[in-house]
Amino acid sequence: MDEKTRTEIEAQVFRDLVEHLRTRTDVQNIDLMNLAGFCRNCLSKWYRAAAEQQGIELSYDDAREIVYGMPYEEWKAAYQTEASDPQNQKFQESH
């Protein structure tokens, strides 16, 4: 597989992952962190870092909006729930 094709496939996989996470608003970031070690905010940070490597300035809030599909505060108000004690405990143990 040539580099251009690989990059195009990887880009589509990323878009599909982001779209999947946008539709699975029932999956909380803490659950993602506890199970996979990354969450939507991590993706946002990685997106911002990749943009900066290309010389593109992108704020963390703008990167989050790309990943969440809306401003983070809007997503948080609509979908984020309070983490349970077991979720918080698992997070503390793994980090």
Side-chain angles (χ1 to χ4, degrees):
M1 178 182 314
D2 64 69
E3 187 70 18
K4 180 180 182 297
T5 301
R6 184 181 66 80
T7 299
E8 289 170 357
I9 290 169
E10 290 171 349
Q12 185 60 54
V13 169
F14 175 79
R15 287 188 294 269
D16 292 346
L17 172 62
V18 168
E19 184 58 33
H20 180 74
L21 290 173
R22 286 178 183 176
T23 62
R24 290 299 310 269
T25 57
D26 59 311
V27 178
Q28 297 295 303
N29 281 332
I30 195 161
D31 295 324
L32 291 169
M33 288 297 295
N34 287 341
L35 292 171
F38 77 97
C39 69
R40 293 169 182 91
N41 292 324
C42 297
L43 287 174
S44 302
K45 290 174 185 176
W46 299 338
Y47 194 100
R48 180 178 182 215
E52 288 180 354
Q53 286 177 357
Q54 296 295 318
I56 299 167
E57 277 193 46
L58 185 68
S59 73
Y60 180 45
D61 286 337
D62 288 342
R64 277 204 222 179
E65 190 165 340
I66 290 166
V67 170
Y68 284 90
M70 63 184 71
Y72 173 67
E73 292 303 322
E74 185 179 321
W75 188 93
K76 188 175 164 182
Y79 304 113
Q80 187 167 310
T81 60
E82 190 70 30
S84 68
D85 287 339
Q87 286 172 316
N88 282 324
Q89 183 177 354
K90 186 171 183 177
F91 181 79
Q92 293 304 318
E93 290 169 0
S94 65
H95 293 84

